[in-house]
């Protein structure tokens, strides 16, 4: 009865050590992966927009046209492309052609485009990219550059609402969380099995040591297949034999 009690106590302790370690490790990996992915995904998104911007820019320079199939592909990916020019205090649309000559009136769109254009003008840059959070707390990724379109100095602006980025990140977080839960469930079973295989020979060895101490000299410490515990058993058997000689 006492053997079973000691065995269960040791096995439970080893199981808890394994389980707590696994929980902390999985949680740390989940946090690092989600944070890293969010930052890395935003950076890759901006790089993709810069690549699209370069392709459109080259197309405009070569034949003053824009590949509509590319624009459709961009729109499907949540990226919108416009070409605008500053007309006094107004921002006039030059592309897409369906909005040719239209003045942008939406306050938040004006805020976004003005911020990007001002950065190009103030910093005297050919192209810029980054993230802009509007006064409405809506974040946008953007890539913009100066172009000559229809013989007019203008600005090519690609924008992507951060909602599309956040949606992708949230999907990944759910997938990682699901994976973490599965790993934790598996770790419960593995921890219980491993703790039993470790605690049983240790408990038996402790029982043999107590019986030896009480005067049963014929007992031997049994090997179990684990090199460390086998080494301990051999050492105890050697010590026992040496003590018996004295």
């Amino acid at each position: 009865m006492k053997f079973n009690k000691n065995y269960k106590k040791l096995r439970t302790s080893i199981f808890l050590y394994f389980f707590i370690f696994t929980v902390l490790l999985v949680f740390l990996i989940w946090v690092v992966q989600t944070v890293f992915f969010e930052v890395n995904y935003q950076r890759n998104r901006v790089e993709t927009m810069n690549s699209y911007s370069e392709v459109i820019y080259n197309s405009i320079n070569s034949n003053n046209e824009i590949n509509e199939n590319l624009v459709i592909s961009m729109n499907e990916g949540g990226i919108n492309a416009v070409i605008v020019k500053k007309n006094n205090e107004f921002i006039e649309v030059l592309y897409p052609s369906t909005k040719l000559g239209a003045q942008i009136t939406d306050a938040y769109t004006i805020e976004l485009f003005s911020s990007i254009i001002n950065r190009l003008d103030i910093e005297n840059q050919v192209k810029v990219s980054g993230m802009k959070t509007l006064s409405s707390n809506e974040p946008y990724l953007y890539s913009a550059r100066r172009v000559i379109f229809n013989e007019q100095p203008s600005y090519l602006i690609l924008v992507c609402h951060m909602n599309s980025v956040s949606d992708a990140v949230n999907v990944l977080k759910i997938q990682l969380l699901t994976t973490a839960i599965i790993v934790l469930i598996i770790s419960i079973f593995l921890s219980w099995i491993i703790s039993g295989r470790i605690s049983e020979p240790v408990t038996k060895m402790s029982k043999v040591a107590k019986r030896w101490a009480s005067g049963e000299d014929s007992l031997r410490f049994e090997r179990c297949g684990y090199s460390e515990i086998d080494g301990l058993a051999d050492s105890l058997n050697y010590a026992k034999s040496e003590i018996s000689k004295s």
Side-chain angles (χ1 to χ4, degrees), residues 63-95:
N63 53 27
N64 201 48
E65 293 182 356
I66 297 176
N67 187 327
E68 294 297 334
N69 291 329
L70 176 63
V71 174
I72 292 173
S73 177
M74 288 166 49
N75 291 340
E76 290 174 351
I79 301 173
N80 295 312
V82 295
I83 298 177
V84 298
K85 72 172 184 176
K86 290 178 67 175
N87 186 3
N88 296 324
E89 69 273 20
F90 301 106
I91 298 177
E92 182 180 331
V93 177
L94 299 180
Y95 178 88

Side-chain angles (χ1 to χ4, degrees), residues 16-100:
L16 288 175
Y17 291 144
F18 273 114
F19 181 69
I20 292 173
F21 173 77
T22 304
V23 170
L24 292 176
L25 182 62
V26 170
F27 176 75
L28 181 62
I29 292 174
W30 181 79
V31 170
V32 170
Q33 284 186 330
T34 51
V35 172
F36 171 79
F37 179 82
E38 187 164 1
V39 173
N40 194 55
Y41 188 84
Q42 290 180 17
R43 183 170 61 249
N44 289 341
R45 192 72 162 166
V46 171
E47 290 176 356
T48 299
M49 293 168 67
N50 288 337
S51 298
Y52 281 139
S53 177
E54 191 71 23
V55 172
I56 294 174
Y57 174 75
N58 292 333
S59 177
I60 292 173
N61 280 345
S62 62
N63 53 27
N64 201 48
E65 293 182 356
I66 297 176
N67 187 327
E68 294 297 334
N69 291 329
L70 176 63
V71 174
I72 292 173
S73 177
M74 288 166 49
N75 291 340
E76 290 174 351
I79 301 173
N80 295 312
V82 295
I83 298 177
V84 298
K85 72 172 184 176
K86 290 178 67 175
N87 186 3
N88 296 324
E89 69 273 20
F90 301 106
I91 298 177
E92 182 180 331
V93 177
L94 299 180
Y95 178 88
S97 56
T98 54
K99 298 181 180 179
L100 179 62

Side-chain angles (χ1 to χ4, degrees), residues 99-220:
K99 298 181 180 179
L100 179 62
Q103 293 181 353
I104 296 176
T105 56
D106 178 73
Y108 293 128
T109 305
I110 292 174
E111 179 186 356
L112 176 62
F113 287 179
S114 296
S115 173
I116 296 172
I117 292 172
N118 288 339
R119 184 182 171 192
L120 281 166
D121 292 343
I122 293 173
E123 297 181 8
N124 195 27
Q125 297 291 322
V126 174
K127 55 184 177 180
V128 294
S129 61
M131 185 176 76
K132 169 66 178 177
T133 301
L134 303 182
S135 57
S136 60
N137 292 324
E138 290 186 281
Y140 285 86
L141 299 176
Y142 67 86
S143 176
R145 66 184 303 149
R146 301 173 186 274
V147 295
I148 302 297
F149 185 69
N150 291 339
E151 300 181 350
Q152 301 180 72
S154 48
Y155 305 91
L156 168 64
I157 301 176
L158 276 63
V159 294
C160 171
H161 198 292
M162 281 290 291
N163 279 348
S164 60
V165 177
S166 299
D167 289 343
V169 172
N170 288 335
V171 169
L172 178 74
K173 285 181 178 180
I174 293 173
Q175 292 176 344
L176 289 175
L177 182 60
T178 303
T179 303
I181 292 173
I182 293 173
V183 170
L184 286 177
I185 293 174
I186 294 174
S187 71
I188 291 175
F189 292 102
L190 291 179
S191 297
W192 187 249
I193 293 172
I194 294 172
S195 64
R197 296 194 64 179
I198 293 176
S199 59
E200 183 175 2
V202 172
T203 306
K204 286 182 178 180
M205 195 173 293
S206 175
K207 183 180 179 182
V208 171
K210 289 179 180 178
R211 290 174 61 188
W212 173 39
S214 65
E216 297 184 44
D217 293 334
S218 61
L219 297 173
R220 284 188 58 82

